[in-house]
Amino acid sequence: MSDLSQSVTPSPTAKTAAPDESPKKTLNGAGEKIGAVTVASLRDEFPYFADENAVVYLDSASSAQKARVGLDAMNDLYRHHYANVHRGAYRLSAESTAAFENARRQIARFLDAENSREIIFTRGTTEAINLVAGSLGEQMSPGDEIIVSELEHHSNLVPWQLLAERRKLKLRFWKIDARARLALADLAPLLGARTRLLAMTHVSNAFGTITPAAEAAAMARDAGALVLIDGAQAVPHLSVSVRELGADFYAFSGHKLYAPSGIGALWGRGEVLETMPPWQGGGEMITEVSLARSLYQPPPARFEAGTPPIAEAVALGAVCEWLMTLPRELLRTRLHGIFARAHELLSATAGVEVYGAGVAESAPTFSFNIADAHPHDLATYLDSHGVAVRTGHHCAQPALAALGLEATARASFGLYNNTADAERLAETVAAAANFFKR
Amino acid sequence: MHDLADAELRQLYQESLLHHSRHPCNFGELTPPMREARGYNPLCGDKITVQLRETGDRLEAIAFSGSGCAISLASASLMTEAVKGMTRRETEELFAAFTALCLGAEQARATPLPARHEDLNIFAGVREYPMRVKCATLPWHTLRAVLEQRETATTE
């Protein structure tokens, strides 16, 4: 088994470097060192960019390009170690199970969870949130209240709307300001004796805002409520410690973290998960079944009915492990510099409006528009010039509406981007503004 | 490189298309009695409302409102101009020809636009941009929804 874990887990190539002392320092030259890797060799870890027709990819907040380490882990599992998990009495199934459970431990370490039994594999963030709504939510009583922020992706709003309808609950909304920020002072009056849950994002998918999630979680828990944080946009950019955040649930998707689609995870506080009933029935989540009734497994198996996406889970674990070997603080500073450059250039371009809280309070994602064209027309222009951005409402219609917007263009950055990408974006947007000028 | 891409884009974003998107015809609301339907493109969030009034079998008045990209607004503008005064059957025929026009040259040859509606040819440019075909056809699907007495149309 030891050689298996070696073959699906990359051996650490770099020790975490000391955090960069000066945030002003930029690391953009291709040959520049970041710990044991260079900027250029880091980009090489994402096979898509070896394609000579690779676009300037600025849609990582929607879905990121894939890290080699995850693709290799997936390939290796399918080719050499694949069988169903937790079922077979034979060696191959034991290998598959070991790789799958190793991935759970890798993810637990990545999130700084106390125990890997607190990690539940899901298809992604959306399914993780629906799991909480479909299990914990069904124990709520008519009149109970859930607080949802206005900044949410639809996946952290619609499941609560559906639950509220089923259980006759009341939804209360934590409003954002004109720069897409959440103020703790606005949360306080919403918390009350009937508050059962606060559901909020850690980083806004549409505007990039980093929210005061830890402070909000402390306030909600003081009021006796549980806290669910959507971490889909946060895990690629922030070093997340669920222990420090102090929430009860943390959800994220693999596909935004350079890993395959179809896999994600829900971290749940152990003692809370223990009290929750199953949400889907099937194989793997039971201990004993008779025609009349069944006994359920303890978490996490209780919440993992059916055969999971095994290779995808192993790939996600491998990517988390790999990310932990990189000097993440240094990379974060570097990416923030690239983001700041794009933000600065676009903000200074005539006919361009940039939204949100500004670079200091944001992860490397921002929304903008040009004066004389709808964002879809802008996106077609950018696409024709090899720049991929997302346009539309970004599955966050209430957040856009709060800023008086229906649609925006959104640029979001990943580990593979560089300063040239930021400059290319700005230059192409300026050309588009000119092309569509009335 | 910019010049070449810009020249190709100009085939899509012709002056007349941009003009219609900025100064759309029949933009607004009809006074009752009228019927209406809403069209959605869930992919991008575009929405449009088409209202119409019929006298017997003829489309006597038509208007649209909503928000969207240049292609969908221009398409709605030109559509409302084209179908005004038409019978249902003529509208259906034009719907088929317009859809064919957006899909490809072969389809357009099989179901050509009538000569008097050649101005709709400016939308042939969307063929090169498969992601944008639905922007051009959304107003037409919405019109069809009103005629078929459905409340909503969607491109998905």
Side-chain angles (χ1 to χ4, degrees):
Chain A
M1 217 50 48
S2 58
D3 54 328
L4 166 78
S5 68
Q6 273 201 350
S7 62
V8 296
T9 310
S11 45
T13 54
K15 288 268 178 286
T16 304
D20 190 359
E21 293 293 308
S22 115
K24 290 271 187 279
K25 186 180 172 192
T26 52
L27 279 163
N28 298 318
E32 242 174 309
K33 288 263 190 187
I34 311 167
V37 295
T38 62
V39 171
S41 73
L42 182 67
R43 190 170 160 100
D44 290 344
E45 295 305 313
F46 299 88
Y48 169 71
F49 295 100
D51 184 337
E52 59 177 27
N53 296 317
V55 299
V56 174
Y57 192 74
L58 296 174
D59 197 19
S60 300
S62 182
S63 204
Q65 294 300 330
K66 305 309 169 200
R68 180 193 311 282
V69 69
L71 300 176
D72 288 351
M74 206 163 161
N75 203 12
D76 181 68
L77 184 96
Y78 271 137
R79 282 167 182 267
H80 306 296
H81 310 286
Y82 184 78
N84 210 332
V85 291
H86 299 301
R87 284 168 179 77
Y90 47 91
R91 188 182 184 79
L92 198 59
S93 175
E95 287 178 18
S96 198
T97 303
F100 184 70
E101 291 303 322
N102 184 50
R104 199 188 301 277
R105 286 191 293 275
Q106 290 169 320
I107 293 164
R109 283 201 300 280
F110 181 73
L111 292 180
D112 191 30
E114 216 166 275
N115 194 309
S116 67
R117 287 192 299 275
E118 295 181 325
I119 302 296
I120 300 161
F121 282 115
T122 64
R123 280 194 294 143
T125 309
T126 299
E127 188 176 74
I129 295 168
N130 277 278
L131 185 162
V132 177
S135 169
L136 180 93
E138 293 301 328
Q139 297 178 312
M140 294 184 189
S141 310
D144 281 349
E145 296 179 2
I146 295 176
I147 300 173
V148 182
S149 104
E150 200 175 20
L151 203 50
E152 300 310 303
H153 187 285
H154 296 163
S155 62
N156 201 17
L157 169 59
V158 180
W160 309 118
Q161 290 175 337
L162 291 168
L163 176 69
E165 209 168 298
R166 285 200 301 274
R167 304 293 304 165
K168 309 274 173 272
L169 312 178
K170 187 173 177 201
L171 294 188
R172 307 193 68 176
F173 299 104
W174 182 7
K175 299 292 181 78
I176 55 176
D177 70 11
R179 293 175 63 201
R181 295 176 300 187
L182 288 166
L184 293 168
D186 296 330
L187 173 63
L190 299 174
L191 291 162
R194 296 304 301 263
T195 312
R196 295 291 307 275
L197 182 77
L198 165 66
M200 66 180 291
T201 191
H202 199 176
V203 168
S204 156
N205 75 310
F207 298 105
T209 329
I210 300 171
T211 67
E215 295 83 351
M219 286 167 66
R221 285 174 59 87
D222 280 348
L226 295 174
V227 180
L228 177 144
I229 297 177
D230 170 354
Q233 300 294 339
V235 289
H237 301 301
L238 310 176
S239 289
V240 173
S241 164
V242 290
R243 279 190 273 198
E244 282 172 23
L245 267 176
D248 300 281
F249 302 99
Y250 197 88
F252 77 97
S253 300
H255 73 97
K256 295 186 202 288
L257 191 68
Y258 316 110
S261 55
I263 190 71
L266 173 71
W267 168 82
R269 188 178 293 282
E271 66 256 34
V272 180
L273 290 179
E274 290 290 345
T275 67
M276 287 164 49
W279 79 299
Q280 288 180 338
E284 201 163 312
M285 47 78 73
I286 42 75
T287 52
E288 197 178 335
V289 176
S290 66
L291 286 178
R293 61 186 289 270
S294 301
L295 294 174
Y296 308 118
Q297 291 268 23
R302 185 187 299 166
F303 304 104
E304 292 180 354
T307 295
I310 301 162
E312 287 81 353
V314 169
L316 175 56
V319 172
C320 287
E321 183 75 40
W322 176 63
L323 289 171
M324 286 187 283
T325 67
L326 298 175
R328 296 185 76 199
E329 266 313 299
L330 215 57
L331 289 174
R332 198 190 64 75
T333 306
R334 170 185 173 268
L335 195 56
H336 201 77
I338 295 166
F339 160 54
R341 178 78 179 140
H343 196 280
E344 177 193 2
L345 288 170
L346 282 187
S347 301
T349 304
V352 177
E353 188 169 8
V354 175
Y355 309 107
V359 290
E361 296 175 63
S362 303
T365 291
F366 70 105
S367 263
F368 59 96
N369 271 326
I370 61 174
D372 293 330
H374 190 276
H376 298 150
D377 300 315
L378 170 62
T380 292
Y381 187 94
L382 297 182
D383 184 41
S384 291
H385 295 80
V387 178
V389 298
R390 169 85 183 265
T391 52
H393 54 56
H394 315 299
C395 300
Q397 283 180 323
L400 264 69
L403 270 70
L405 300 166
E406 282 185 346
T408 66
R410 178 190 68 183
S412 54
F413 296 81
L415 286 176
Y416 29 71
N417 289 120
N418 51 37
T419 305
D421 293 342
E423 287 167 356
R424 180 85 177 277
L425 169 73
E427 160 194 314
T428 318
V429 170
N434 191 44
F435 180 89
F436 288 110
K437 202 177 175 71
R438 284 167 200 255
Chain B
M1 183 207 82
H2 274 208
D3 291 346
L4 180 62
D6 280 11
E8 282 171 4
L9 280 162
R10 202 47 88 188
Q11 290 302 306
L12 175 64
Y13 292 106
Q14 296 178 27
E15 257 332 297
S16 61
L17 186 148
L18 287 174
H19 182 81
H20 269 278
S21 76
R22 285 161 185 166
H23 310 282
C25 307
N26 308 303
F27 189 86
E29 297 189 346
L30 296 181
T31 48
M34 47 80 184
R35 296 211 312 275
E36 67 175 30
R38 278 165 76 77
Y40 300 94
N41 183 346
L43 210 67
C44 58
D46 281 2
K47 40 183 181 259
I48 175 178
T49 300
V50 172
Q51 298 182 328
L52 58 84
R53 185 159 54 237
E54 287 176 290
T55 310
D57 191 33
R58 252 174 223 290
L59 239 163
E60 178 209 317
I62 183 163
F64 82 98
S65 53
S67 60
C69 61
I71 296 167
S72 66
L73 291 176
S75 176
S77 172
L78 281 152
M79 174 190 80
T80 51
E81 283 291 275
V83 300
K84 213 184 283 179
M86 278 189 173
T87 64
R88 281 195 174 208
R89 194 197 160 114
E90 289 165 339
T91 309
E92 272 302 317
E93 283 169 5
L94 195 57
F95 174 92
F98 184 80
T99 316
L101 171 84
C102 295
L103 288 177
E106 212 168 295
Q107 289 93 328
R109 269 193 299 276
T111 316
L113 282 172
R116 67 180 183 287
H117 293 300
E118 269 176 350
D119 54 344
L120 295 175
N121 265 321
I122 58 169
F123 294 99
V126 296
R127 285 175 205 161
E128 304 301 321
Y129 303 87
M131 310 296 286
R132 308 304 303 274
V133 169
K134 287 170 176 176
C135 305
T137 56
L138 178 65
W140 289 85
H141 284 286
T142 312
L143 167 62
R144 202 184 212 189
V146 199
L147 292 172
E148 291 175 358
Q149 317 242 8
R150 283 179 287 123
E151 281 176 9
T152 56
T154 154
T155 55
E156 292 306 295

